[in-house]
Amino acid sequence: MKRDKLERLTPSGSRLFNFGSCHHSIIIYLLILGSVLVIGISVSFYTRDFPVKFLQKQFAVQFFLAAPPPPQILPEKPLLPPPPLPPENLSAEQNQTIEPTSQIFPTMTDPVPTATDPHTNDEPKTAGPRIGLKEYLKPPEAMHDMNDKELMWRASMAPRIRQFPFNRTRKVAFMFLTRGYLPLARLWERFFEGNEGFFSIYVHALPSFNGTVSEESVFQGRRIPSKEAEWGKANMVEAERRLLANALLDFSNEWFVLLSEACIPLFNFSTVYSYLMSSTKTFVELYDMPGPVGRGRYNRKMRPAISLRQWRKGSQWFQIDRDLALEVVSDQKYFPVFKKHCKPPCYSDEHYLPTLISIKSRRKNSNRTLTWVDWSKGGPHPAKFYRTEVTPELLNKMRRSEEECLYNGELTSVCYMFARKFLPSTLSRLLLFAPDVLKF
């Protein structure tokens, strides 16, 4: 009864209005639910591929107001290469002497060279001086700090390409093996005069010698680091190898002539230069000599490296080209055998080089030396020449041999370019006869 009473009190329009309001609310709820689902699906798809970035962005949004301002970004400095490790074969004291990194590598203000474009022929553009082939080709000073092991290793290097990529003047290396002063230096200075650029000079004197040379002399500054060299011992050959090694450091040296303080030139420089540069063979005297001073000096302990069939004898005064000089300084097979087993009455300076050539380069060698000596008086050493013995006739006899020799396959009477043994007292007469007889 109460219900009927209420229905009578409530108008029909109000019921319709309530039903419509409820209907609109349901629609709004459905739209909100659909939007939430779409957003959820989109967020789920986004976070599946980029979870880290999404979290970073959410974190940035959440703390944007509290985050400090970003730091100022400075330009990044170029990295320097790490300092080099000290060589393994140096002692602890030597390692302490290595230069600091700041001295080895350029600083930020140092000029840094740029690379050359491989597709052009342009020179590399650098902010500083160029370090290239010129510095590499420049030979060191005659008096350097290399020991023999370092010297032989460096001198043994040889380019495999025969064509030189630079202009080069071929030179003759004159190597003087002396005890001290060069008593005939004035004659040699006259010989070299006016031919600068076509020769090099190297002097191996005893370490105890402390003499000086005048500033105007061509021998000034040409002394190399030396050690004791005694006649008949292996250290004499070591001195010869040391001279060759120093001369090989100059890439322009093509011929190498071993001389003593008692040697003189028999012709002027241009004749000697042409004779050597035009030769197709080297000049090392070697022969197979029976008897006690030849084969009798062979030591059977040298086998199997050196056999009696390979054993040779000859003069120590040689004239060789660059290829043969490289063979001598790089030899690590035969010289150690000589050093160990060739002792007096076996003399290494008379047998080492002739034996090495007979093994390595027999066909390229002329089997004779260009240094004239007089063995007519007998004994272990050639005859010496005193002042009064020096005459134009003697010099001409040396210049024109009575017995002809082969030069580039043809017979000639010009068989010697040098001669020995001239005592210091002969200098004045040699200087007197040089213009007319020796032609310098």
Side-chain angles (χ1 to χ4, degrees), residues 229-246:
E230 304 166 89
W231 178 79
K233 294 187 178 181
N235 57 18
M236 181 69 76
V237 177
E238 289 178 332
E240 296 173 10
R241 284 160 53 92
R242 199 173 295 121
L243 279 165
L244 281 172
N246 279 275

Side-chain angles (χ1 to χ4, degrees), residues 232-233 237 240 284-299 302 306 308 310-317 334-335 338 342-359:
K233 294 187 178 181
V237 177
E240 296 173 10
V284 179
E285 184 181 55
L286 59 91
Y287 48 88
D288 183 9
M289 184 178 185
V293 297
R295 294 187 184 182
R297 294 176 177 175
Y298 174 75
N299 190 334
M302 293 182 173
I306 303 170
L308 179 60
Q310 297 169 322
W311 186 254
R312 294 293 184 271
K313 177 182 171 65
S315 171
Q316 78 177 104
W317 311 105
Y334 303 105
F335 181 64
F338 268 86
C342 182
K343 298 178 180 180
C346 177
Y347 304 109
S348 294
D349 56 299
E350 294 182 7
H351 294 280
Y352 167 68
L353 196 57
T355 300
L356 179 67
I357 302 307
S358 73
I359 297 172

Side-chain angles (χ1 to χ4, degrees), residues 191-207:
F191 169 79
F192 289 123
E193 187 177 359
N195 297 286
E196 292 76 12
F198 293 92
F199 65 88
S200 301
I201 296 175
Y202 304 87
V203 179
H204 186 291
L206 293 177

Side-chain angles (χ1 to χ4, degrees), residues 80-140:
L80 293 177
L85 296 176
E88 296 179 357
N89 59 347
L90 293 181
S91 64
E93 295 181 357
Q94 290 172 314
N95 285 335
Q96 294 176 359
T97 63
I98 296 178
E99 296 179 342
T101 308
S102 61
Q103 297 179 5
I104 299 175
F105 297 101
T107 61
M108 291 295 294
T109 58
D110 291 334
V112 179
T114 58
T116 307
D117 185 354
H119 301 292
T120 67
N121 293 324
D122 296 338
E123 293 292 328
K125 298 178 181 179
T126 62
R130 178 174 180 261
I131 301 176
L133 190 60
K134 183 178 180 180
E135 292 297 322
Y136 175 73
L137 295 174
K138 184 179 180 180

Side-chain angles (χ1 to χ4, degrees), residues 367-379:
N367 297 347
R368 65 184 180 93
T369 178
L370 297 182
T371 303
W372 192 97
V373 291
D374 181 9
W375 290 100
S376 62
K377 297 181 181 180

Side-chain angles (χ1 to χ4, degrees), residues 198-257:
F198 293 92
F199 65 88
S200 301
I201 296 175
Y202 304 87
V203 179
H204 186 291
L206 293 177
S208 58
F209 175 68
N210 58 3
T212 58
V213 180
S214 66
E215 294 290 337
E216 296 77 17
S217 175
V218 292
F219 295 98
Q220 171 63 30
R222 301 315 305 163
R223 186 175 171 184
I224 68 169
S226 62
K227 294 183 179 181
E228 291 289 334
E230 304 166 89
W231 178 79
K233 294 187 178 181
N235 57 18
M236 181 69 76
V237 177
E238 289 178 332
E240 296 173 10
R241 284 160 53 92
R242 199 173 295 121
L243 279 165
L244 281 172
N246 279 275
L248 281 168
L249 299 182
D250 188 338
F251 284 93
S252 296
N253 288 330
E254 281 289 327
W255 277 86
F256 305 80
V257 178

